[in-house]
Amino acid sequence: MSSRNRFSEILRILTSPQSALPGSFAAAILIGTILLWLPWCHVSGHVGLVDALFTATSAVCITGLTVVDTGTDFTFMGQVVILVLIQMGGLGIMTLAAIAAQMTGRRMSLTSQAVVADSIFQQDVASEFRSVFRSILTITFVTEGVGSILLFVYFSTRMDPDTAVFSAVFHSISAFCNAGFSIYRNNLMEFRGDEGVLIVVMALIVLGGLGYVVLHELLIFARDVALRRRGLHTKRFSLHTRLVLTISAILVAGGAAALFCFGLSPAELYWPDRIFHSLFQSVTARTAGFNTVDIGRIPSASLFVLIMLMFVGGSPGSCAGGVKTTALAIWLARLNASVRGRKEVRLLDRRVPDDLLQRAELLLGLAVFWNIVGILVMLTTQAHLSVSALDLIFEQVSAFGTVGLSTGLSADLSTSGKLWLCATMFVGRLGPMTVAVWVFSKDVTHVSYPKGTVMIG
């Protein structure tokens, strides 16, 4: 390819409608990097340019991985900038997807429409964008507001009112947006004995990871239940909502049970503590990134359980990352149908369309490929660290799932390692399918090749 054709291809990618979403996130990361690198946003000598880029990327991509301490290395102004970036990242993925959905009617390809629609809605919302946008804002700010009030009640007993207000707002937004950022050095480990704080945080994480569609249907269901005495009947949940709620419950309960069996850190001496913190870590591994235990001290089996939870992540249209609960459910249903010799793939008494099966398989394939490459990159560039391969795999999947959990090696990563994780957080936040549609042009061919057979298995 000549340099002129290469330039034209790059220009096509940057100016296409599909660039609206990744372009907006990239612009937010760039602005955030510049702001965090300014002298009044960080303690002098503690934050370099790469550190500012890593923090901005982690905040916008609502990951929570940090290479410097948020509470001590950034000033109050820097922490406010991080909080704004988190809110933009959490709210932006939903609102920008809605804006992109409005554009799909005329300018985006069918493949692009499918990718954008799956990221937030099950139907075209172009005709009702204003009401949808208003609903998204209402759900987000009301949930974060209630969370802030509840956290303030608990924090006010530990600190002065001004600090308690900022801490409550910061952690409420961070939890609902599934960011995992904390202004405390040991994340939430100092609140291990305060179940009230941790329950509020868990509730915000779960709500933020369900997705707008599910939250909207839950609100309608609650309203109908409240008005049932007047003769109104509850509306049945959609397949999407039933699937999300079912898979989410299975993952949280199954993850908690596995962590309880394999064990956490030595600090959990009693069964009630072990049960509670196993549940908390199972919830937060779904892309939130808060921790009440020392992740670097938990057994390898428990680390592997967290890796699997982080890879799956939350649900479509939410603040969560990962390959999403629905993609996992569709893949398992496809596997079950293949093993049983059925042509139809069934899911909760419904037939799954072929195009949905193909997109789910493509998403999982791209996710696995990116993480395999990422693990090789981390093993190669971070060979100087005296850590196990499992720790580096954990860091890679945590970045891809936009989780933010770490075994403690983030600050020791080389520049190349930090830059790679920045790219991984970006891909994980947008989704590998969105990035693939953005980068690669559709290959249209009218040539039909003869069939070929190979041995498999």
Side-chain angles (χ1 to χ4, degrees), residues 146-266:
V146 172
S148 298
I149 294 172
L150 294 175
L151 289 177
F152 173 76
V153 172
Y154 293 105
F155 288 152
S156 60
T157 62
R158 288 172 167 255
M159 56 196 76
D160 63 86
D162 291 341
T163 305
V165 168
F166 181 72
S167 180
V169 172
F170 189 97
H171 289 88
S172 178
I173 293 176
S174 182
F176 181 73
C177 292
N178 283 203
F181 273 89
S182 175
I183 56 177
Y184 302 110
R185 179 176 293 276
N186 294 320
N187 206 271
L188 297 183
M189 290 180 63
E190 63 181 83
F191 296 97
R192 285 175 51 84
D194 200 334
E195 285 79 8
V197 171
L198 301 182
I199 290 173
V200 172
V201 170
M202 278 195 291
L204 289 169
I205 292 171
V206 170
L207 292 174
L210 289 177
Y212 164 77
V213 171
V214 178
L215 291 178
H216 184 68
E217 290 192 21
L218 288 175
L219 286 176
I220 293 177
F221 177 79
R223 182 199 65 187
D224 290 348
V225 168
L227 298 176
R228 195 171 184 177
R229 296 176 183 174
R230 301 180 183 179
L232 297 180
H233 298 282
T234 57
K235 184 179 180 180
R236 188 179 181 183
F237 290 136
S238 66
L239 173 63
H240 173 81
T241 295
R242 288 189 291 135
L243 187 61
V244 166
L245 294 176
T246 301
I247 299 300
S248 297
I250 292 174
L251 289 175
V252 169
L259 292 174
F260 177 81
C261 294
F262 296 133
L264 295 171
S265 67

Side-chain angles (χ1 to χ4, degrees), residues 7-201:
F7 176 78
S8 299
E9 181 66 15
I10 295 174
L11 187 63
R12 179 197 64 79
I13 294 173
L14 295 178
T15 57
S16 65
Q18 293 90 330
S19 299
L21 202 60
S24 299
F25 273 84
I29 291 172
L30 177 60
I31 294 172
T33 301
I34 295 173
L35 291 176
L36 292 177
W37 200 37
L38 294 175
W40 52 80
C41 283
H42 67 269
V43 178
S44 179
H46 285 224
V47 179
L49 179 59
V50 175
D51 297 330
L53 171 63
F54 190 97
T55 304
T57 304
S58 184
V60 173
C61 297
I62 52 178
T63 304
L65 281 176
T66 56
V67 291
V68 292
D69 187 75
T70 306
T72 58
D73 293 330
F74 288 102
T75 64
F76 175 76
M77 182 60 68
Q79 293 170 14
V80 171
V81 170
I82 292 173
L83 186 61
V84 172
L85 293 176
I86 291 172
Q87 187 70 87
M88 289 174 59
L91 187 62
I93 186 67
M94 294 186 290
T95 55
L96 288 176
I99 293 172
Q102 188 182 30
M103 297 166 56
T104 58
R106 297 180 180 177
R107 300 179 61 189
M108 295 177 73
S109 66
L110 292 176
T111 305
S112 305
Q113 291 182 43
V115 170
V116 172
D118 282 347
S119 68
I120 178 170
F121 299 109
Q122 291 179 283
Q123 67 277 344
D124 181 22
V125 297
S127 60
E128 50 186 65
F129 170 70
R130 290 185 179 180
S131 61
V132 167
F133 182 75
R134 190 161 47 245
S135 297
I136 292 173
L137 293 180
T138 301
I139 290 174
T140 300
F141 292 137
V142 168
T143 305
E144 291 175 350
V146 172
S148 298
I149 294 172
L150 294 175
L151 289 177
F152 173 76
V153 172
Y154 293 105
F155 288 152
S156 60
T157 62
R158 288 172 167 255
M159 56 196 76
D160 63 86
D162 291 341
T163 305
V165 168
F166 181 72
S167 180
V169 172
F170 189 97
H171 289 88
S172 178
I173 293 176
S174 182
F176 181 73
C177 292
N178 283 203
F181 273 89
S182 175
I183 56 177
Y184 302 110
R185 179 176 293 276
N186 294 320
N187 206 271
L188 297 183
M189 290 180 63
E190 63 181 83
F191 296 97
R192 285 175 51 84
D194 200 334
E195 285 79 8
V197 171
L198 301 182
I199 290 173
V200 172
V201 170

Side-chain angles (χ1 to χ4, degrees), residues 220-365:
I220 293 177
F221 177 79
R223 182 199 65 187
D224 290 348
V225 168
L227 298 176
R228 195 171 184 177
R229 296 176 183 174
R230 301 180 183 179
L232 297 180
H233 298 282
T234 57
K235 184 179 180 180
R236 188 179 181 183
F237 290 136
S238 66
L239 173 63
H240 173 81
T241 295
R242 288 189 291 135
L243 187 61
V244 166
L245 294 176
T246 301
I247 299 300
S248 297
I250 292 174
L251 289 175
V252 169
L259 292 174
F260 177 81
C261 294
F262 296 133
L264 295 171
S265 67
E268 285 68 48
L269 300 177
Y270 305 104
W271 278 33
D273 290 340
R274 194 168 173 178
I275 292 173
F276 183 82
H277 293 294
S278 294
L279 177 62
F280 184 89
Q281 288 307 143
S282 179
V283 170
T284 195
R286 304 283 313 290
T287 79
F290 289 109
N291 64 284
T292 57
V293 300
D294 187 351
I295 302 298
R297 300 183 65 187
I298 68 176
S300 297
S302 295
L303 275 182
F304 190 74
V305 170
L306 292 178
I307 288 174
M308 291 190 292
L309 292 173
M310 293 189 301
F311 181 76
V312 176
S315 302
S318 71
C319 299
V323 296
K324 305 298 188 297
T325 53
T326 50
L328 173 67
I330 292 172
W331 182 81
L332 291 175
R334 177 64 175 265
L335 179 63
N336 180 57
S338 299
V339 170
R340 293 176 181 272
R342 288 200 312 258
K343 292 184 177 181
E344 281 191 349
V345 178
R346 303 167 192 167
L347 201 56
L348 296 181
D349 299 325
R350 293 291 186 274
R351 181 179 62 83
V352 182
D354 291 339
D355 62 329
L356 197 57
L357 292 172
Q358 293 173 2
R359 294 207 299 274
E361 290 177 350
L362 175 61
L363 172 60
L364 286 168

